[in-house]
Structure formats: structure tokens, C-alpha cells
Amino acid sequence: MMTLATIIKEFETSFLEHYAHLLLPSHKKALAVMKDCRSAVSPKMLAQCSDEDCQLCRFIPHSCGQRHCPHCQSYEGQRWIDHQLEKQLPAEYFLLTFTLPYQLRQLAWFHQRLVFSLLFACVQRVLQTFTQNDQQLGGTAGFTAVLHTHSRRLEFHPHIHVVIPGGSIHQKNRLWRVKTGKYLFKQQSLAKVFRAILLKELVANQLEVPKDCPKKWVVDCKSVGNGSKAIIYLGRYLYKGVIREEDIIACEDGMVTFRYTESKTRTVKTRTVPGEEFLWLFLQHILPKGFRRVRSYGFLHPCSKRAVLLLQLICRFKLRPMQKRERPGIVCPRCGAKMRIIRTLIPVAEVKQLVAQSLRPSVGQVM
């Protein structure tokens, strides 16, 4: 397994020579931070073994904490998944995918914050309209939308995944109404309305729509049972990068090889590209600073927790018991006991001084 930090250090110079004119400030900052993730130059924290007979002390490098780093944020991703599973409701769940056509991807790249915000707003408007006009539902929808900008081959491919229960809260009588059947809405109808609304918003925001914009867009809608698998799938890359470090299988002769699973055939394939191109494939999915890639609407909005709990109580919907997930601890390399953090964010220069002068002999041997 190759780490992303190792690849950045090896190809950073040549990468900047070829792609510096395409990089945004957010790209450059992410590149610099992820290069030092858990490395010798990153800040340290001092940990001490909890075993009284051992009391080994070690300086442990900090993670970078960058939300796109594949080496960090695993704990936050699992917490998000647990939180979403706690909001499950007694209804059939559906996974919808709203895809931006190829002809509009260049426009999205140069106006990411605006176009991505319009994507979220249009998806919200489409689903709320369809839910209110549906004969069985006829109420307010609740759903969670997640923005993905990558294909499985790491190409720039903006699309929004939506996990939505086939149920609604009726606006007048406040009753929970569930839709029966395997289909939520017609995909062709969703695509037509989505296309019309988004193109109108792009023009209203003075963005030039390409003349070759297709008339037929793609919206996929499929049933996903109780929604658990779809939530886990979306949470996998929510707080991590677009590729796992386990999938970077080789870095030889200036080329990087990674594996991916093809969406249609579900077969595992590999792709080999120059190291500089691999970094570009990764960095082009860095979102603008502060931009939220996941948003919840309707009765699944974070401010509607009481409504969800009330629905679960009225419908007598029993959730599986959720254990409070604890952050992974640090294990002592000498005795295997847990280590406790004594001090955090120690600069590298101070660490060297502490080791050289042996300022902490009472807490054990510093390694």
C-alpha cells in the first residue's frame, strides 16, 4: 500500500511545473497539508502508557485533519453514518442520482461554489415538488443529499446522490403517509424537470450555457430497502478523499497504479497514470473552502430531530440498538496497554529540544 503523502513528496515538484496554472488556493493548501500528514515534520502529541509498570512515553505525529485526506477522518465518517441510521423511518428507501451532463462540467469546474449550490437547490426543489404533487404522498419530503465530484476512475464527474424515504408528512393533518410500490417517481419526469430548473437558474445567474447542452439528462432512481446500505456507501467518502490508500497499489518508474470497481459490471480494474496526473486527478475534487458536501432537507433537517423521534414513536418503529462509538485509542508498543494523551500540538522544534535535554525523565523513556 502506498500512502498519498509519499506520492506527493515524490511528484510535487514536477506536478507544480505542469499544473500550477490550474490550481486554486484551496488545492495548494490541501497539497501542503496532506504532504506532512503524520510525518516527521508534523506537530506531535505526547502519549504515556497507562500501565504503572510500563509508563512508556512516545511522541506521536498528528494527522493533518484535512477533510479530503484518505488517511484521516475515519472516525468522523463512522459517526455520520451512525447518526443517519438513528433517523431511519418505517418506509421503503430510495437512492436517487442527479448527474450533471458532460457538456456542463467545464462550466461547473470554473464556477464550483455557484454551480454546486445551484445543484443542491434544484434537487431540493424538484423532490419537494414531486412529493407534494404525488397522489399517495402529497406532503413534505425529507431527504439527505451528498455531492460527489468524481467517477470511479477519478475523472471530474459532478453528481448528487439522494437518500430519501418513500414517505411524507401531510401538511394539513400532519399524518405520516407512505408510498407503496417499487418506484418512487418516474426517472424521465425527474430528469426533465431537473434540467429545466437548473438551466433556468444558470441563466438567471449569468452563466453561459453551452450550445451543445443535451436535451435528455440522466436521473437514476432505485429502491434500497431500509436505506442502511445506501447510507454506508455515501458515508464512506464523506470525510475522506475520493480514493482509499489501500487502492493505491503501485508507484514505480514515475507511474502510479490504482484500482477501482466498475459501476456497471462490478468488476475490479486498474488504471496506471503518471504520478503528476494522479495528483491532478485527486486534487481536482478538493471542494471550495467551507463548502458543505452533505445537506439534509425537510423533516430530516438537523432542526427537525423532534419530528423524527415523534414519527418513530407513533409508528412504533424500533431501531437497532446503537452503541456509542468511541474514538480509536493508542496502544503501547511495549506492553499493549492503552496510552493516554498528556500534551497535544507540540511543535517539532520543541520536541527535538525535549528529547535532547531530557526534560521529562519522570514520565519514562522518550522514544
Side-chain angles (χ1 to χ4, degrees), residues 187-199:
Q187 298 179 158
Q188 296 82 358
S189 300
L190 286 170
K192 288 181 180 179
V193 177
F194 174 58
R195 178 184 184 275
I197 294 178
L198 182 56
L199 290 180

Side-chain angles (χ1 to χ4, degrees), residues 34 93 100 225 317 326:
M34 289 186 290
Y93 275 73
L100 196 67
F317 183 64
E326 297 182 357

Side-chain angles (χ1 to χ4, degrees), residues 68-87:
H68 299 91
C69 178
H71 202 70
C72 303
Q73 306 288 350
S74 295
Y75 175 73
E76 298 299 332
Q78 290 298 326
R79 282 189 61 189
W80 182 85
I81 292 174
D82 293 343
H83 180 63
Q84 295 301 315
L85 293 178
E86 289 177 353
K87 298 192 296 182

Side-chain angles (χ1 to χ4, degrees), residues 19-30:
Y19 292 94
H21 63 289
L22 297 174
L23 297 181
L24 300 175
S26 57
H27 296 154
K28 297 179 180 179
K29 183 177 181 180

